[in-house]
Amino acid sequence: MVRLPYLTALTTLFSYGLLFAFGQLRDLFRKLLDLSKSENLQGYAPICLGLEDFYTRRLYLRIQDCFGRPIASAPDAWIDVVERHSNDNNKTLHRTSNTTKCLNLGSYNYLGFAAADEYCTPRAIESLKKYSPSTCSVRVDGGTTKLHTELEELVAQFVGKPAAVVFGMGYVTNSSVIPILIGKGGLIISDSLNHNSIVNGARGSGATVRVFQHNNPSHLEEVLREQIAEGQPRTHRPWKKIIVIVEGIYSMEGELCNLPEIITVCKKYKVYTYLDEAHSIGAVGKTGRGVCELLGVDPADVDIMMGTFTKSFGSCGGYIAASKEIIQYLNYTCPAHLYATSMSPPAVQQVISAIKVILGEDGSNRGAKKLAKIRENSNFFRSELQKMGFEVLGDNDSPVMPIMLYNPAKIPAFSRECLRQNVAVVTVAFPATPLLLARARICISASHSREDLIKGLEVISRVGDLVAIKYFPVEQQKPHASEKLKKLE
């Protein structure tokens, strides 16, 4: 958890207060000056209204050049970022024909499969010729190809569950499946930092939702005991079912889930577990099988395993792996399966090929090398950032490492200066994070060479000094043996 220093919190609050005050002042002057030009809405209420609209106009638009940067290449270790300019103080941005080659520290391309691959790419191209880009149908009509069936069997085998079903979008996997698994009279207990797709799925289910402190099994047990004792609101009847939802790697924190302890608590109280492995499947574990493998948890102890193909596998879509009965039930009832166009065949083939490389079924050891490289790169980059004095969140082996920025002025300063020095980073602020906890999220890939990482570290260190985000003392480098000998001489 982030321990926000008092002085940092005070200065960050002051900065947001200043921006808010000047924004309100500008809105007041705009109303006074536009009184004679006001348009007649003919009884319609404004569509954009409230603090969200104010935040967008007065805060986000000032720095929107730091977000949504278009690229003109595959999301490999280096990318071509399209240059943009604005003639109205960032209210609108215009793309140019120029691009800048930048080190990519923002994409989820953990194993490097998103770029051209000697095994995956030819097979994806072949499937495009055979099946076309889209099935133009839902799964229950004409949208199930031989590839979809093969992928579902392969995913089930890969994660260690009896069966699986795939969907065309990772976000929809959570938001459409959770309401099918539980409804009114049920209880969802969700980690406080779960992804928005889980939050929306829980809200849409009609079940009662309770939150436990992030990654805290003790607090989870407290919430469970209290809720089981009280029962449903008003009637106090027993809950129809209880599901605990956690993530394998939390995407904004880079932290691994305390899965063994959480499973122990869930077993004790006979409640179901739902594990979102969007950022962990393929990226962690000796053979890439996610946090269950990394933390020594039997997949049979996790009732529902969810994951996406957009990170480690260089494709799109998501999956649910569970018992055959649950998967059959989802096939009959889930809207994303019944009403949405099925996953694109070339995207399906890309995932199949990527998993085969990871398993070594392509006849090489490239998969094992990629898994070793992502671990080595992630741990090296994290340790060097910490030595430099940055406040870095997350755990070892996680390829996601947020660098805390806090102050709103440091968000655009860090992003723009990194881009100026040919390093593309992702900055994240409210509403994706709490207001005071803005950060830069670094994502490491197996496709990064050691030279790439050193280049990125040098730039981030210089920019960190410039914008003053090294909140901890810099660790003194130990002299090499040759340097010690020179001093003795």
Side-chain angles (χ1 to χ4, degrees):
M1 295 294 289
V2 180
R3 304 287 184 188
L4 186 59
Y6 177 77
L7 183 61
T8 304
L10 192 64
T11 55
T12 303
L13 278 170
F14 178 78
S15 300
Y16 276 112
L18 203 62
L19 288 167
F20 184 83
F22 273 95
Q24 291 288 358
L25 197 62
R26 292 182 68 184
D27 276 3
L28 176 62
F29 277 109
R30 188 178 72 169
K31 285 178 183 177
L32 293 173
L33 293 172
D34 290 352
L35 279 176
S36 58
K37 304 175 187 177
S38 61
E39 297 178 2
N40 184 8
L41 295 175
Q42 299 179 350
Y44 288 96
I47 291 179
C48 302
L49 188 66
L51 283 175
E52 291 85 358
D53 177 53
F54 173 83
Y55 181 85
T56 301
R57 288 184 294 102
R58 295 303 183 199
L59 279 79
Y60 172 77
L61 289 181
R62 297 164 69 104
I63 61 171
Q64 72 162 325
D65 60 297
C66 300
F67 306 100
R69 288 173 177 147
I71 65 172
S73 63
D76 205 356
W78 290 79
I79 53 174
D80 296 326
V81 179
V82 177
E83 295 178 9
R84 297 180 293 177
H85 68 89
S86 176
N87 300 320
D88 53 8
N89 297 315
N90 259 15
K91 189 175 181 181
T92 55
L93 295 170
H94 304 280
R95 291 188 299 272
T96 69
S97 57
N98 301 324
T99 60
T100 303
K101 192 173 185 64
C102 295
L103 177 65
N104 181 11
L105 294 180
S107 298
Y108 303 135
N109 184 23
Y110 297 143
L111 294 183
F113 284 118
D117 182 84
E118 62 187 69
Y119 184 83
C120 301
T121 305
R123 285 160 179 78
I125 293 171
E126 187 60 34
S127 69
L128 175 64
K129 293 176 182 177
K130 182 176 181 180
Y131 292 101
S132 86
S134 172
T135 62
C136 297
S137 182
V138 299
R139 287 293 303 273
V140 293
D141 293 338
T144 299
T145 67
K146 189 167 67 173
L147 294 177
H148 290 84
T149 306
E150 181 183 352
L151 178 58
E152 288 173 342
E153 292 172 355
L154 190 58
V155 165
Q157 173 201 335
F158 185 66
V159 302
K161 299 298 281 184
V165 57
V166 299
F167 302 93
M169 183 180 177
Y171 188 99
V172 168
T173 304
N174 276 331
S175 60
S176 68
V177 166
I178 292 171
I180 298 302
L181 294 174
I182 191 168
K184 190 176 179 181
L187 173 65
I188 294 173
I189 301 182
S190 179
D191 187 286
S192 61
L193 296 182
N194 272 341
H195 191 264
N196 181 262
S197 60
I198 295 172
V199 172
N200 281 342
R203 286 174 178 168
S205 69
T208 300
V209 181
R210 294 290 180 267
V211 174
F212 70 96
Q213 292 170 5
H214 172 57
N215 230 359
N216 189 334
S218 299
H219 189 247
L220 168 63
E221 184 166 12
E222 286 179 27
V223 174
L224 269 170
R225 289 178 65 182
E226 180 184 340
Q227 293 302 316
I228 291 171
E230 289 184 2
Q232 296 183 40
R234 293 188 298 276
T235 65
H236 301 292
R237 292 175 181 169
W239 299 102
K240 292 181 179 177
K241 72 178 80 164
I242 301 175
I243 298 180
V244 173
I245 305 181
V246 294
E247 295 186 36
I249 292 179
Y250 291 88
S251 59
M252 289 298 169
E253 288 69 37
E255 293 177 353
L256 295 167
C257 173
N258 289 328
L259 192 59
E261 295 89 343
I262 288 171
I263 291 293
T264 301
V265 172
C266 291
K267 279 185 169 183
K268 180 178 178 181
Y269 292 92
K270 304 293 189 292
V271 299
Y272 296 108
T273 51
Y274 182 109
L275 175 65
D276 178 340
E277 288 218 81
H279 286 267
S280 53
I281 192 67
V284 297
K286 186 178 179 181
T287 60
R289 286 176 165 87
V291 290
C292 286
E293 181 179 49
L294 181 68
L295 302 177
V297 174
D298 186 349
D301 291 334
V302 181
D303 299 289
I304 298 113
M305 299 177 75
M306 176 270 176
T308 64
F309 304 128
T310 51
K311 281 80 178 176
S312 298
F313 307 105
S315 186
C316 63
Y319 69 84
I320 293 288
S323 66
K324 291 181 179 179
E325 292 76 18
I326 291 175
I327 298 304
Q328 188 177 47
Y329 177 68
L330 292 177
N331 286 338
Y332 293 152
T333 57
C334 184
H337 187 80
L338 297 173
Y339 306 118
T341 302
S342 64
M343 196 173 164
S344 169
V348 175
Q349 180 60 63
Q350 167 69 21
V351 183
I352 292 171
S353 302
I355 293 176
K356 286 185 175 180
V357 172
I358 292 170
L359 294 174
E361 293 180 9
D362 63 328
S364 75
N365 64 344
R366 288 196 308 123
K369 286 183 177 178
K370 283 178 178 287
L371 290 165
K373 191 74 180 292
I374 185 64
R375 284 193 296 273
E376 178 188 334
N377 285 355
S378 300
N379 293 336
F380 167 75
F381 205 85
R382 182 184 302 280
S383 119
E384 291 301 309
L385 286 174
Q386 290 169 339
K387 288 176 186 176
M388 291 174 182
F390 291 103
E391 184 175 357
V392 186
L393 304 186
D395 297 313
N396 282 339
D397 287 353
S398 169
V400 182
M401 47 201 76
I403 301 172
M404 298 309 297
L405 303 177
Y406 297 118
N407 197 288
K410 295 180 180 181
I411 301 168
F414 183 81
S415 178
R416 289 166 182 163
E417 191 59 28
C418 282
L419 185 65
R420 195 180 70 80
Q421 299 189 42
N422 302 107
V423 173
V425 297
V426 170
T427 49
V428 189
F430 180 83
T433 66
L435 187 66
L436 302 184
L437 302 181
R439 63 201 67 181
R441 183 176 64 178
I442 305 298
C443 292
I444 299 300
S445 170
S447 61
H448 287 130
S449 66
R450 181 55 62 94
E451 291 73 24
D452 293 337
L453 299 180
I454 291 171
K455 153 80 174 173
L457 288 164
E458 289 172 350
V459 170
I460 290 173
S461 181
R462 287 196 297 268
V463 177
D465 289 328
L466 186 66
V467 301
I469 57 170
K470 293 183 177 180
Y471 296 106
F472 297 130
V474 177
E475 184 178 312
Q476 295 297 321
Q477 296 288 335
K478 294 180 181 178
H480 292 292
S482 58
E483 291 176 4
K484 289 181 180 178
L485 286 172
K486 285 180 183 178
K487 286 181 181 178
L488 288 170
E489 290 172 358

